[in-house]
Amino acid sequence: FKFEATKVGKDTVLAQIIKMVEEAQGSKAPIQKIADQVSGVFVPVVIGIALLTFVLWYLVAGDLTSAIVSAVSVLVIACPCALGLATPTAIMVGTGKGAENGILIKGGEYLEMAYKLNTVVLDKTGTITKGEPEVTDSLTLGELAPDQILRWAAIAEKRSEHPLGVAIYEKGKKEYGQLPDADEFTAIPGRGVMAMVEGKAIYLGTRKLMLDQEIDLGMTETTIAELEDAGKTAMLMAIDQKVEAIIAVADTVKENSGAAIAELQQMGVEVYMITGDNRRTAAAIAKQVGITNVLAEVLPEHKAEEVEKLKKQGKIVAMVGDGINDAPALATADIGMAIGTGTDVAMEAADITLMRGDLKTIPAAIRLSRQTMRKIKQNLFWAFIYNTVGIPFAAFGLLNPMIAGAAMAFSSVSVVTNSLGLKRFNPYKN
């Protein structure tokens, strides 16, 4: 048998992962800028203290050697090496640990921002659910036989790229084998499709599509409501301006979605679900996974607007999605998280890529961020405390340069050792 290499060298997934991790490890987190600003003030102050120490020792003790030794001790003990290592060492270990656990973080700023998150918006299809919907019901409302309805619907959806359309086509293909192309086909985003099939004008999609085409819905509302309350997406099929059938499609919730959402809520993170589905279907799916905040009937092009509204309320928002239509919302959010099993466009727009399709990587990413920030703060504390405590001892002549050098080196070693402690951290463990 034969293998075909679709991508080689720098274009492979592995090469892209390596590149992303290397860039992240070399990037600066915003907290590093604070350390840089402090160093910018700290260094001139230390030089001033060293000069003052020299002058006072020389004038008071009249001993040039003691004056030089004490001034040098001040400079050595105050060397801000540990301050410079505090943040980058933790960022390097944190991003590396993330990569080990299927969490690819594009930069230090995103690792830090994840620590502040208090709101997560989850796309439904392909994120909360498996994104592999199946036809569950094909209900005829007129004289047409159910098999004829399914065959025409499958032909109409053959060129559709929407998961629900693909599900109908795959069902028809399974039942009837190879299907011909529609004579005409038009995808109507957020509504459905229009197709000419064997001389019939077919509209297949939402209520809004039917209302836009001025097609009477008849007595379909009760049946639609029953299907939607069961968590199914009901699509109306009109042939020559008359509703002839209702086709229901259901998507299965991922195994760990409910547990992951419960974890996020326990961590104090507010969870929203965003979907283009109608409110009943959306509410049924949300209930299954324990979500109370539902943004339903949101067209693909309006997802970014919904994320922006949450940001204006003062929330730090992460958007999690997997499709091309999620890319604008991923870019708009404070942190965009793309499911690694999704599209390349979504992963390119995201700040964090979750290589596993499992939603448990979301709380894991937040835990990793929080632990990394905890390490950075500990590092900064130890770096400052060494300098603060050591300078007075050196200024009063209680430290010679050799001991000061050892103490300074020990402070750097303690900071690096503390950062390396992240390697033992398990982000999936509560």
Side-chain angles (χ1 to χ4, degrees), residues 169-302:
Y169 170 67
E170 290 297 332
K171 177 72 171 177
K173 186 179 176 182
K174 182 179 178 181
E175 295 285 335
Y176 310 111
Q178 195 62 38
L179 296 168
D181 291 337
D183 298 322
E184 294 179 26
F185 173 82
T186 304
I188 306 167
R191 299 284 196 272
V193 300
M194 177 273 168
M196 290 295 295
V197 178
E198 297 176 4
K200 303 287 187 181
I202 295 177
Y203 284 93
L204 181 55
T206 63
R207 296 181 186 82
K208 289 180 180 178
L209 176 63
M210 300 299 137
L211 295 173
D212 289 347
Q213 302 302 318
E214 298 181 352
I215 297 172
D216 183 16
L217 299 180
M219 305 296 290
T220 60
E221 191 58 42
T222 302
T223 305
I224 291 172
E226 290 174 358
L227 293 168
E228 290 174 349
D229 286 339
K232 300 174 183 179
T233 300
M235 291 181 284
L236 294 159
M237 181 176 176
I239 301 173
D240 291 336
Q241 295 297 109
K242 182 183 177 184
V243 175
E244 294 284 359
I246 300 173
I247 299 176
V249 178
D251 198 358
T252 309
V253 171
K254 289 179 181 177
E255 292 178 4
N256 292 324
S257 290
I261 289 161
E263 278 185 42
L264 286 168
Q265 291 167 339
Q266 288 168 10
M267 293 167 71
V269 177
E270 202 174 0
V271 182
Y272 286 75
M273 184 181 84
I274 191 167
T275 177
D277 287 352
N278 63 77
R279 297 188 184 282
R280 281 202 192 96
T281 302
I285 296 294
K287 187 176 180 181
Q288 288 182 44
V289 294
I291 294 176
T292 55
N293 302 307
V294 181
L295 304 172
E297 298 180 10
V298 180
L299 294 175
E301 60 269 26
H302 294 156

Side-chain angles (χ1 to χ4, degrees), residues 30-317:
I31 197 169
Q32 175 66 42
K33 294 175 183 175
I34 297 172
D36 292 343
Q37 290 169 356
V38 170
S39 295
V41 176
F42 181 75
V43 171
V45 169
V46 167
I47 292 172
I49 292 171
L51 288 172
L52 184 62
T53 300
F54 174 81
V55 171
L56 290 175
W57 268 96
Y58 185 70
L59 293 177
V60 175
D63 187 348
L64 180 61
T65 302
S66 297
I68 293 173
V69 168
S70 297
V72 170
S73 295
V74 169
L75 291 173
V76 172
I77 195 70
C79 181
C81 295
L83 200 59
L85 291 169
T87 301
T89 52
I91 293 293
M92 185 171 288
V93 179
T95 51
K97 190 67 181 177
E100 283 179 25
N101 287 275
I103 304 165
L104 301 183
I105 303 165
K106 282 187 176 178
E109 63 268 34
Y110 308 119
L111 183 61
E112 180 178 339
M113 182 61 75
Y115 151 81
K116 301 175 183 176
L117 288 176
N118 54 29
T119 304
V120 171
V121 180
L122 301 172
D123 179 53
K124 181 183 80 70
T125 305
T127 302
I128 294 175
T129 64
K130 292 180 179 179
E132 299 171 358
E134 295 179 352
V135 175
T136 57
D137 304 86
S138 181
L139 309 174
T140 181
L141 304 176
E143 298 177 358
L144 289 173
D147 59 341
Q148 184 63 63
I149 290 292
L150 180 59
R151 183 175 177 275
W152 278 352
I155 294 171
E157 294 283 11
K158 184 176 180 180
R159 289 159 61 187
S160 174
E161 295 179 355
H162 194 283
L164 301 183
V166 172
I168 293 172
Y169 170 67
E170 290 297 332
K171 177 72 171 177
K173 186 179 176 182
K174 182 179 178 181
E175 295 285 335
Y176 310 111
Q178 195 62 38
L179 296 168
D181 291 337
D183 298 322
E184 294 179 26
F185 173 82
T186 304
I188 306 167
R191 299 284 196 272
V193 300
M194 177 273 168
M196 290 295 295
V197 178
E198 297 176 4
K200 303 287 187 181
I202 295 177
Y203 284 93
L204 181 55
T206 63
R207 296 181 186 82
K208 289 180 180 178
L209 176 63
M210 300 299 137
L211 295 173
D212 289 347
Q213 302 302 318
E214 298 181 352
I215 297 172
D216 183 16
L217 299 180
M219 305 296 290
T220 60
E221 191 58 42
T222 302
T223 305
I224 291 172
E226 290 174 358
L227 293 168
E228 290 174 349
D229 286 339
K232 300 174 183 179
T233 300
M235 291 181 284
L236 294 159
M237 181 176 176
I239 301 173
D240 291 336
Q241 295 297 109
K242 182 183 177 184
V243 175
E244 294 284 359
I246 300 173
I247 299 176
V249 178
D251 198 358
T252 309
V253 171
K254 289 179 181 177
E255 292 178 4
N256 292 324
S257 290
I261 289 161
E263 278 185 42
L264 286 168
Q265 291 167 339
Q266 288 168 10
M267 293 167 71
V269 177
E270 202 174 0
V271 182
Y272 286 75
M273 184 181 84
I274 191 167
T275 177
D277 287 352
N278 63 77
R279 297 188 184 282
R280 281 202 192 96
T281 302
I285 296 294
K287 187 176 180 181
Q288 288 182 44
V289 294
I291 294 176
T292 55
N293 302 307
V294 181
L295 304 172
E297 298 180 10
V298 180
L299 294 175
E301 60 269 26
H302 294 156
K303 287 183 179 180
E305 293 175 13
E306 293 296 331
V307 171
E308 190 62 43
K309 286 178 186 176
L310 292 173
K311 287 174 66 177
K312 286 179 179 176
Q313 293 173 25
K315 302 179 189 292
I316 307 298
V317 183

Side-chain angles (χ1 to χ4, degrees), residues 4-48:
E4 181 183 354
T6 55
K7 293 181 180 179
V8 297
K10 66 180 182 179
D11 296 323
T12 62
V13 173
L14 179 59
Q16 293 296 323
I17 290 172
I18 292 170
K19 181 184 176 185
M20 189 182 295
V21 172
E22 286 177 347
E23 288 176 351
Q25 291 181 334
S27 65
K28 282 189 177 183
I31 197 169
Q32 175 66 42
K33 294 175 183 175
I34 297 172
D36 292 343
Q37 290 169 356
V38 170
S39 295
V41 176
F42 181 75
V43 171
V45 169
V46 167
I47 292 172

